[in-house]
Amino acid sequence: MDADLILKAPVPFLTMVGLVAILDPPRPEAIEGVKVATKAGIVVKMITGDHPATATAIAKMLSIVPPNSSDKDVSTFTGPQLDAMDDDALDSVVLGCNVFARASPENKIRIVKSLQRMGQVSSMTGDGVNDAPALKAANIGVAMGITGTDVSKEAAKMVLADDNFATIVVAVKEGRRVWDNLVKVLMYNIPVNFAQGLSVFFSYVLKLETVPLTAIQVLYVNMVTSVTMGMMLSMEPPEGDIMSRPPRKTNKRLFGKKVMWNCIYVSSLMVCAVIGVFQWSLTNNPADEVDGRRAAADRSPRIDRARGEAFNMLVFAEMAYALNCRYLRDKAITTKLFTENWWCWVAIGIATTLQIILTYVPGVSYFFYNGPIDGMAWLRILGFSTVIFFLVEIEKVVGPKYLMPLVRPLFNAIGVITPEALKTQRTETGMQSVKFIATSASTFGVPHPTNNASNPCAPSGQHAHGYDHPVNEQASAQVPHLHREKSSGAGVGSRSPTSKPMEVEGTVAMGTGHNMQVV
């Protein structure tokens, strides 16, 4: 345009008719994800390059700070303020501040290291080259898979494929489910294995007529029944309170005091049941003649019937106990026992069918040292199995309050004398107990307007967190294509080549015990 034309234009040449403000709000599922994370004991902290007022406004939208609080009540530190602090001063404020504005890459790594000095497990997310040092220093660095640079991906220990904060929360939930299921499998397998061996051991101690279980029967239980029930427990869905629990301690062991106590308690119940029905069958069944074929193997129909009853008692007691193990904290006496995890009933059906075959099919029963048992024997087996189920349920209620305080000192003493080689070893690069999660602008970006019906993470308004589970598990599979449409109004999550990203560049998570925070 000719400059003279502008100078010669009549006054006023330009007239102000108004101002246009562009809002780049967080994704709805990110807001819900922060709420779920907070309920799970995770406190989200935000590190941004934005102005403190902008950072505070975004933090209120995400509930990182109380939404109704005034700006004066929100503790916010800027990069220059952090630069002026020494490490001790930073340590004194890092736990109480959830918003860091105008932060530089050096500030980010100092915040991460400060959290670690304060005994926290920190996780950092980021997508830029300047995030790489903090990602490397964090216990778990999370890089963005779509918008992240190659440098940040190389520095991180984990890459978020869809750049969605809700997926991080889903991952936390899945991690807790996997941990719970590992504990369930241990709580099931160890007591039943003890019961098998101790049944044979105490038969010698009590000087019974013969052993209640043979080697082939024990081998069968280990290879078929235990494996079938263990696979079923590994498929258990998350319990209802899984995202309402505080994070577990970093030194929490899979083989902890609870598992040790269950080994003693449950194996004792099973041993008593197996030896009890075996001795009952021997005592109440008259001695019979040994035919020529069985005489060579030192067997009789009477002993085979007793062993068949003991063998079935062990298997059905294990199936009853598997129902207990499906819920670590909740009561198993609930309708959910029949509606959740249909693999449970498939496994029980398979195990029951095999037991009938092993007990009544000629040839097969002889090979497994079993004899056919009558209806009264089945009533005893099912009755004792039911008793074991209810006794374990009673222990869930009274055990933590009354029994564990009595046995905990003994277990602590055992832990003191346990060789170091047998203790759980944790490395810095290993997957430690994830107490805290972090988030960045790329996980909070606003999507191009979409139909909520097609968005599995959109809040439904029917539940406290927007859906019946803490975060919809389908989000991680379906969200990537929902927030990538090119638009001049797109946020970080839907960047177009010409759009300017929001400058909230990273967050860090930290915490100990029952108090967790994320920056």
Side-chain angles (χ1 to χ4, degrees), residues 257 260-261 264 404 407-416:
K257 297 181 180 67
M260 294 175 65
W261 164 246
I264 298 173
M404 286 303 295
V407 300
R408 189 173 287 113
L410 174 62
F411 293 151
N412 288 336
I414 295 175
V416 170

Side-chain angles (χ1 to χ4, degrees), residues 238-274:
E239 297 184 27
D241 67 338
I242 196 168
M243 292 301 283
S244 302
R245 306 173 192 166
R248 65 182 183 270
K249 298 178 181 179
T250 55
N251 60 350
K252 181 73 173 178
R253 301 177 182 177
L254 280 171
F255 189 75
K257 297 181 180 67
K258 176 64 175 176
V259 178
M260 294 175 65
W261 164 246
N262 269 57
C263 287
I264 298 173
Y265 181 71
V266 177
S267 61
S268 299
L269 296 177
M270 290 186 179
V271 169
C272 291
V274 170

Side-chain angles (χ1 to χ4, degrees), residues 182-194 196 221 224-233 259 262 266 270 314-315 317-323 325-326:
L182 286 173
V183 174
K184 291 174 184 178
V185 172
L186 277 178
M187 286 185 63
Y188 171 78
N189 275 321
I190 297 178
V192 301
N193 287 335
F194 268 96
Q196 297 165 26
V221 172
V224 179
T225 308
S226 295
V227 172
T228 304
M229 297 297 118
M231 291 180 63
M232 174 270 292
L233 290 173
V259 178
N262 269 57
V266 177
M270 290 186 179
L314 176 64
V315 172
E318 290 184 5
M319 287 192 282
Y321 178 56
L323 297 179
C325 290
R326 290 183 59 189

Side-chain angles (χ1 to χ4, degrees), residues 21-34:
I22 299 176
L23 178 64
D24 190 10
R27 296 174 178 177
E29 64 270 18
I31 298 174
E32 297 300 318
V34 172

